[in-house]
Amino acid sequence: MITPPLPPDVLARYPGLEKLGRTATRLHPRPWAVTAAGSHVGGPLRWPADEPWPTCATPHMVHEEVPIPAELVNRMRAAERGRRQSHVLAEGEVELHREIATLVGPGFTGWGSRGGGPVVGHRYVPRAHPVPNPMVALAQLRAQDVPDLPRPGGADLLQVLWCPFEHSEGPWGPTVELRWRREADLTELLAEPPRGEVGNDEYVPRPCRLYPEQVVEYPYPQELPAGLRTLVDEQDEEGEYDDNYVETFMAPGWKVGGYADWSLTDLRPTPCPRCAGPTTLALVVASSERGTGRWQPTRTDGEPDDDPYEPTGVVVGRHGALRVFVCLSCPDVPFLLDQQ
């Protein structure tokens, strides 16, 4: 995969921006058979035979349906009809919604029916795994293949695993485990990892070969110096600099390193959970590779002829991305998750 360079005149519009360029490695995952020897999404890991496979004991969130009495449903629908006629949200409708939420209980997310069936309230409640649940291999990245992979303590291999259930601790979604290793230390390997339960099939990635490509990115507008940020805002005729700027200067999809896109939440701090110091963007796990302009996935000879936009089958949040920030100052490399 090859990303075309920026047009020559683009950087010239933002004097000083070029100095803030930072490399990132686009991973370009594509469905294909993989082995434990290489870098890939999904598939087997080079796991030491004498090291326990990670498990998750964190309670996961389970969807439940709670019946709603017909009398309460009729009152709510009458209030909704009145709103549609008057185009004003009635105070009584607000109270009825609160009554339904109280009836359904903690974790309430809404109410409705399927195919004309009974009306129910929806909620998510925590439930413990019967036994600690073996995690799923998400990715294995070798520094030899991925130029921007951090190398804490001389590590040259990163293995990422997660529990394929929804959890409410941290960002809503899987719990995550990172293992940093030196490939030279891996001799006796685990033949077959344990298999656990899966609560969300979209957290079980298709095995994908990677086609790493190093590109240059530039900071999200809110991370720019004040003068440059003002210039970026002025350059956008509609005043929504995020969309135009981000689509030009920040790579979509799975990547290692580079800058984080804060379009959904605006810039927020990512301090180390242990020392409170700065962290580094190590990995972006994306629901889609889709981009605009020069960022659109392209094929080169020898690559699989499949849909390049959602190759891994992984969907994070509302079709967004999970970002992993690591602290390279603490010896055990603590990390922080953020979802956009």
Side-chain angles (χ1 to χ4, degrees), residues 151-229:
R151 300 192 59 172
D156 57 5
L157 181 72
L158 170 62
Q159 295 170 330
V160 187
L161 307 94
W162 65 12
C163 178
F165 281 83
E166 308 292 357
H167 303 77
S168 61
E169 293 188 11
W172 180 278
T175 55
V176 175
E177 182 86 13
L178 304 184
R179 295 295 168 92
W180 300 90
R181 307 189 187 279
R182 293 183 179 91
E183 288 198 79
D185 297 339
L186 298 173
T187 53
E188 297 294 325
L189 301 180
L190 182 68
E192 186 71 28
R195 295 182 179 273
E197 296 183 347
V198 174
N200 185 341
D201 290 336
E202 292 176 337
Y203 294 153
V204 180
R206 301 186 192 106
C208 285
R209 185 179 296 179
L210 304 182
Y211 296 83
E213 178 199 21
Q214 197 170 42
V215 297
V216 177
E217 291 190 312
Y218 298 88
Y220 186 72
Q222 291 177 345
E223 294 191 81
L224 292 172
L228 261 177
R229 183 176 174 184

Side-chain angles (χ1 to χ4, degrees), residues 85 108 176 230 236 305:
Q85 293 172 359
F108 172 70
V176 175
T230 299
D236 184 359
D305 190 23

